[in-house]
Amino acid sequence: MGNASGFYGDRFDAMREMLTGGHLDFLTGDYLAELTMLILGRDRLKDPSAGYARTFLRQLEECLGTAHERGVRIVANAGGLNPAGLAENVRKLADRLGIPVRVAHVEGDDLTAGHPDSLAAHAYLGAFGIAACLRGGADVVVTGRVTDAALVAGPAAAHFGWGPEDHDRLAGAVVAGHVLECGTQATGGNYAFFAEHVRQDPRILRHPGFPLAEIHPDGTSVITKHPGTGGIVDIGTVTAQLLYETQGARYAGPDVTARLDTVRLTQEGPDRVRIHGVRGEAPPPTLKVGLNRLGGFRNEVTFVLTGLDIEHKAALVRDQLETVLHASKSRPAEVTWSLARTDHPDAPTEETASALLRLVVRDPDQNTVGRTLSGAAVELALASYPGFHVLAPPGKGAPYGVFEAEYVPQDAVDHVAVLDDGRRIPVPPPRDTLVLEEQPKPPLPDPLPPGPTRRAPLGVVAGARSGDKGGNANVGVWVRTDEAWRWLAHTLTVPRFRELLPETADLTVVRHALPQLRALNFTVEGILGEGVAAQHRFDPQAKALGEWLRSRHLDIPEALL
C-alpha cells in the first residue's frame, strides 16, 4: 500500500512515480488538513460545484490508465467538501479516456448545515466506509473528511476481512497509516538527522521516494519504499513520523484507539522497518468534528531596521504607529509587534546588517486593517528612523480562518458508502466503545550516574518533529540509544522544556513518555492561537518548534557526545 500525497499541493508526479516504480495493490493520497478545509470552503463559496482537490483529477488524467493496467486501486480523501462531485468528475474523466473503472465515494462527514456560523464543519470518519466501497468492487474511492490513517486502514480491512472488533489488527494498520499519511516525511523529509545521511551521499535527499507499507493479516507492517528511489527509511524516520501530531499513549480514532506505547520498531534491512506489537482498544463513543469559520481580516507590514540603534529605531516607529492607531476611530482589534534580531555587527552586507520589525493587525472589518494601516505606515516614510523602508507595502487586508474542534456521538453521523451503481451502504457506528482516559505514566529507566558534562545543543543527541493540532502544538523528541534515553527521560522535564522555549513559559505544557520509542511527546496548549489559518505566530504550523528546541544548549553528559 503506497502513498502519493501528504497534502494538497504535494509533488504532482508522485502518483506516476508510485504506480511505475514497483508493485502496489493500493495507492492512497492524503490531500486534506485543517487549513485545506478552509481553502476548499472558500472555493465552494465562489462555486458550489467546487470544494475538492482539483490536482487529483489532473493526476488521474495522466495515471488512471496505468493504475487500471496494473490492477492498483486508488483511495484518496481528495473529495474534500464535495466527494460526490469529485466521484462524478472521475467517472467523466474515465469515460473520456475510455478506461473502464468503477468509482465510489464516502459521505456523511458534512455537518455544516448544523453549524450555520461555520464555513465548513466535518466529522472525521473512519475506515469502514472505504472498506465497503472496496468490497463493493470500486477501483477508485474518494472521500471527504476521514482520518488520515483511515486511507490505509480501510483497504487493509477490506483486503483481510477485518471487522470492527479486530482492534489489534486495526490499530496496527492505523499506525502504518499514520506513518504513510505525510508522504516523504517517512522517507527522510523534514528529518532531524538528515545531515548525517547527506554527508555520506549528497544526492540521497534530492528527490525522496514516497513511502509504502507491506501490511500483513495480523496488522503488522513493514515500512519501505520502491527500490532505487531516493530518501531513507530507518527507525529514526519512522519514529519521527509516529510522534508527529500525536498526543499521549492513546491515539484515538473512529474505529480504534491505537496504543502508541506498545509500538515496537525493528530495522529489518536497508530501507525496511517493521512495525509490530501494536495493541488496540475500542474507539471512543464520540467523533471529532473540525469547524472552520472566517475569523476576520489580517494585514501585516515588516519594517527593515539597518545598522546601529536597532532597539531605538524599533521603539520610534512603534511609538509613531501606535499613536496614529490609537487616535484613529478604527483601531484594529488586535495589534501584535515582534522584532527579529537578524542583524550582525560590522556586517559585510546590508542584509546581514538588518533586523526585521513585524507588525500584524487583525479586525472583523477589512477597511480597518487595510486603509488605516497602509496610510499610517506609508506616511512615515520620510518622518521616522534613518534608513526607513519596508519589505512590501501593506495591502488591503486578507481574510483569515479559525479552526475549532467539537465532538458528537458516533451515531449522530450518517456514514454511507455510495457505490458506482448508486447503491448506498450504511456504515453503522462501532458496537463497542471506550471512553478515552489518560494512560498511567510509565516507569522510567534509572538516570545516568553523575559524570562530566559539556554545554551543547540538545539536537546533538536528540531528534524532534513538531506540528499543529488546532491551536495547540506538539513536539516529539526521541533519542537513539538506551543510555541517551536514561538521560533524556529525567532531564527534559516540563520546567526544563519551558526554560528552553520561553514562548511556552505561560502556557499549559503536558509531557507524555513513550519508553519503547525512547521518546517524549509534549503538547503545548494555545501556542497557535485560533489555529494555523489565523497565522498567530511567526511559525503558524509549529513546523520548526522542534528544531528550535534542538538548537537550545544545555549540559549533556560527555559519554553521550
PDB file of all heavy atoms in Angstrom, residues 259-273:
ATOM      1  N   ARG A 259      -2.643   2.022  20.772  1.00  0.00           N
ATOM      2  CA  ARG A 259      -1.770   2.269  21.908  1.00  0.00           C
ATOM      3  C   ARG A 259      -0.342   2.487  21.410  1.00  0.00           C
ATOM      4  O   ARG A 259       0.388   1.535  21.110  1.00  0.00           O
ATOM      5  CB  ARG A 259      -1.840   1.087  22.876  1.00  0.00           C
ATOM      6  CG  ARG A 259      -3.165   0.987  23.636  1.00  0.00           C
ATOM      7  CD  ARG A 259      -3.239   2.023  24.753  1.00  0.00           C
ATOM      8  NE  ARG A 259      -2.155   1.775  25.703  1.00  0.00           N
ATOM      9  CZ  ARG A 259      -2.248   0.934  26.731  1.00  0.00           C
ATOM     10  NH1 ARG A 259      -3.375   0.267  26.948  1.00  0.00           N
ATOM     11  NH2 ARG A 259      -1.231   0.760  27.551  1.00  0.00           N
ATOM     12  N   LEU A 260       0.052   3.757  21.332  1.00  0.00           N
ATOM     13  CA  LEU A 260       1.391   4.073  20.835  1.00  0.00           C
ATOM     14  C   LEU A 260       2.483   3.594  21.780  1.00  0.00           C
ATOM     15  O   LEU A 260       3.629   3.423  21.368  1.00  0.00           O
ATOM     16  CB  LEU A 260       1.521   5.580  20.602  1.00  0.00           C
ATOM     17  CG  LEU A 260       0.589   6.190  19.548  1.00  0.00           C
ATOM     18  CD1 LEU A 260       0.893   7.674  19.379  1.00  0.00           C
ATOM     19  CD2 LEU A 260       0.701   5.466  18.215  1.00  0.00           C
ATOM     20  N   ASP A 261       2.114   3.356  23.047  1.00  0.00           N
ATOM     21  CA  ASP A 261       3.121   2.873  23.987  1.00  0.00           C
ATOM     22  C   ASP A 261       3.420   1.385  23.814  1.00  0.00           C
ATOM     23  O   ASP A 261       4.285   0.842  24.509  1.00  0.00           O
ATOM     24  CB  ASP A 261       2.692   3.149  25.429  1.00  0.00           C
ATOM     25  CG  ASP A 261       1.331   2.561  25.776  1.00  0.00           C
ATOM     26  OD1 ASP A 261       0.568   2.199  24.858  1.00  0.00           O
ATOM     27  OD2 ASP A 261       1.019   2.468  26.977  1.00  0.00           O
ATOM     28  N   THR A 262       2.718   0.735  22.870  1.00  0.00           N
ATOM     29  CA  THR A 262       3.006  -0.677  22.588  1.00  0.00           C
ATOM     30  C   THR A 262       3.767  -0.870  21.281  1.00  0.00           C
ATOM     31  O   THR A 262       4.151  -1.992  20.949  1.00  0.00           O
ATOM     32  CB  THR A 262       1.696  -1.487  22.515  1.00  0.00           C
ATOM     33  OG1 THR A 262       0.904  -1.041  21.398  1.00  0.00           O
ATOM     34  CG2 THR A 262       0.892  -1.347  23.794  1.00  0.00           C
ATOM     35  N   VAL A 263       3.966   0.201  20.525  1.00  0.00           N
ATOM     36  CA  VAL A 263       4.593   0.094  19.208  1.00  0.00           C
ATOM     37  C   VAL A 263       6.056  -0.323  19.357  1.00  0.00           C
ATOM     38  O   VAL A 263       6.815   0.249  20.143  1.00  0.00           O
ATOM     39  CB  VAL A 263       4.519   1.439  18.447  1.00  0.00           C
ATOM     40  CG1 VAL A 263       5.272   1.346  17.128  1.00  0.00           C
ATOM     41  CG2 VAL A 263       3.066   1.838  18.208  1.00  0.00           C
ATOM     42  N   ARG A 264       6.436  -1.318  18.564  1.00  0.00           N
ATOM     43  CA  ARG A 264       7.836  -1.744  18.503  1.00  0.00           C
ATOM     44  C   ARG A 264       8.330  -1.589  17.064  1.00  0.00           C
ATOM     45  O   ARG A 264       7.607  -1.921  16.114  1.00  0.00           O
ATOM     46  CB  ARG A 264       7.991  -3.196  18.956  1.00  0.00           C
ATOM     47  CG  ARG A 264       7.681  -3.420  20.422  1.00  0.00           C
ATOM     48  CD  ARG A 264       7.862  -4.886  20.820  1.00  0.00           C
ATOM     49  NE  ARG A 264       7.571  -5.096  22.228  1.00  0.00           N
ATOM     50  CZ  ARG A 264       8.461  -4.954  23.206  1.00  0.00           C
ATOM     51  NH1 ARG A 264       9.709  -4.611  22.903  1.00  0.00           N
ATOM     52  NH2 ARG A 264       8.131  -5.155  24.469  1.00  0.00           N
ATOM     53  N   LEU A 265       9.549  -1.111  16.925  1.00  0.00           N
ATOM     54  CA  LEU A 265      10.155  -0.907  15.614  1.00  0.00           C
ATOM     55  C   LEU A 265      11.415  -1.744  15.508  1.00  0.00           C
ATOM     56  O   LEU A 265      12.231  -1.764  16.431  1.00  0.00           O
ATOM     57  CB  LEU A 265      10.502   0.569  15.396  1.00  0.00           C
ATOM     58  CG  LEU A 265       9.358   1.581  15.530  1.00  0.00           C
ATOM     59  CD1 LEU A 265       9.890   2.995  15.330  1.00  0.00           C
ATOM     60  CD2 LEU A 265       8.237   1.283  14.546  1.00  0.00           C
ATOM     61  N   THR A 266      11.581  -2.419  14.374  1.00  0.00           N
ATOM     62  CA  THR A 266      12.764  -3.243  14.129  1.00  0.00           C
ATOM     63  C   THR A 266      13.286  -2.954  12.737  1.00  0.00           C
ATOM     64  O   THR A 266      12.521  -3.001  11.767  1.00  0.00           O
ATOM     65  CB  THR A 266      12.438  -4.744  14.255  1.00  0.00           C
ATOM     66  OG1 THR A 266      11.883  -5.003  15.540  1.00  0.00           O
ATOM     67  CG2 THR A 266      13.693  -5.589  14.065  1.00  0.00           C
ATOM     68  N   GLN A 267      14.573  -2.657  12.625  1.00  0.00           N
ATOM     69  CA  GLN A 267      15.184  -2.460  11.314  1.00  0.00           C
ATOM     70  C   GLN A 267      15.450  -3.833  10.713  1.00  0.00           C
ATOM     71  O   GLN A 267      16.278  -4.595  11.201  1.00  0.00           O
ATOM     72  CB  GLN A 267      16.491  -1.682  11.442  1.00  0.00           C
ATOM     73  CG  GLN A 267      17.073  -1.228  10.113  1.00  0.00           C
ATOM     74  CD  GLN A 267      16.436   0.058   9.599  1.00  0.00           C
ATOM     75  OE1 GLN A 267      16.165   0.966  10.372  1.00  0.00           O
ATOM     76  NE2 GLN A 267      16.197   0.134   8.295  1.00  0.00           N
ATOM     77  N   GLU A 268      14.715  -4.160   9.634  1.00  0.00           N
ATOM     78  CA  GLU A 268      14.818  -5.493   9.033  1.00  0.00           C
ATOM     79  C   GLU A 268      15.850  -5.576   7.927  1.00  0.00           C
ATOM     80  O   GLU A 268      16.216  -6.656   7.496  1.00  0.00           O
ATOM     81  CB  GLU A 268      13.457  -5.924   8.485  1.00  0.00           C
ATOM     82  CG  GLU A 268      12.458  -6.310   9.549  1.00  0.00           C
ATOM     83  CD  GLU A 268      11.490  -7.347   9.030  1.00  0.00           C
ATOM     84  OE1 GLU A 268      11.212  -7.330   7.810  1.00  0.00           O
ATOM     85  OE2 GLU A 268      11.012  -8.166   9.832  1.00  0.00           O
ATOM     86  N   GLY A 269      16.279  -4.444   7.448  1.00  0.00           N
ATOM     87  CA  GLY A 269      17.238  -4.386   6.354  1.00  0.00           C
ATOM     88  C   GLY A 269      17.278  -2.977   5.836  1.00  0.00           C
ATOM     89  O   GLY A 269      16.621  -2.081   6.379  1.00  0.00           O
ATOM     90  N   PRO A 270      18.053  -2.729   4.795  1.00  0.00           N
ATOM     91  CA  PRO A 270      18.114  -1.374   4.237  1.00  0.00           C
ATOM     92  C   PRO A 270      16.725  -0.887   3.828  1.00  0.00           C
ATOM     93  O   PRO A 270      16.007  -1.562   3.075  1.00  0.00           O
ATOM     94  CB  PRO A 270      19.038  -1.532   3.020  1.00  0.00           C
ATOM     95  CG  PRO A 270      19.856  -2.751   3.324  1.00  0.00           C
ATOM     96  CD  PRO A 270      18.948  -3.666   4.084  1.00  0.00           C
ATOM     97  N   ASP A 271      16.324   0.268   4.343  1.00  0.00           N
ATOM     98  CA  ASP A 271      15.043   0.897   3.998  1.00  0.00           C
ATOM     99  C   ASP A 271      13.846  -0.006   4.311  1.00  0.00           C
ATOM    100  O   ASP A 271      12.828   0.041   3.614  1.00  0.00           O
ATOM    101  CB  ASP A 271      15.021   1.316   2.524  1.00  0.00           C
ATOM    102  CG  ASP A 271      16.032   2.407   2.215  1.00  0.00           C
ATOM    103  OD1 ASP A 271      16.179   3.323   3.043  1.00  0.00           O
ATOM    104  OD2 ASP A 271      16.685   2.333   1.154  1.00  0.00           O
ATOM    105  N   ARG A 272      13.943  -0.800   5.364  1.00  0.00           N
ATOM    106  CA  ARG A 272      12.832  -1.662   5.779  1.00  0.00           C
ATOM    107  C   ARG A 272      12.726  -1.641   7.307  1.00  0.00           C
ATOM    108  O   ARG A 272      13.632  -2.099   8.005  1.00  0.00           O
ATOM    109  CB  ARG A 272      13.026  -3.102   5.295  1.00  0.00           C
ATOM    110  CG  ARG A 272      12.917  -3.260   3.778  1.00  0.00           C
ATOM    111  CD  ARG A 272      13.104  -4.714   3.374  1.00  0.00           C
ATOM    112  NE  ARG A 272      12.058  -5.583   3.923  1.00  0.00           N
ATOM    113  CZ  ARG A 272      10.848  -5.740   3.389  1.00  0.00           C
ATOM    114  NH1 ARG A 272      10.521  -5.067   2.280  1.00  0.00           N
ATOM    115  NH2 ARG A 272       9.973  -6.549   3.940  1.00  0.00           N
ATOM    116  N   VAL A 273      11.600  -1.096   7.798  1.00  0.00           N
ATOM    117  CA  VAL A 273      11.350  -1.030   9.236  1.00  0.00           C
ATOM    118  C   VAL A 273      10.038  -1.733   9.540  1.00  0.00           C
ATOM    119  O   VAL A 273       8.984  -1.363   9.003  1.00  0.00           O
ATOM    120  CB  VAL A 273      11.295   0.432   9.730  1.00  0.00           C
ATOM    121  CG1 VAL A 273      10.889   0.494  11.202  1.00  0.00           C
ATOM    122  CG2 VAL A 273      12.639   1.112   9.524  1.00  0.00           C
TER     123      VAL A 273
END
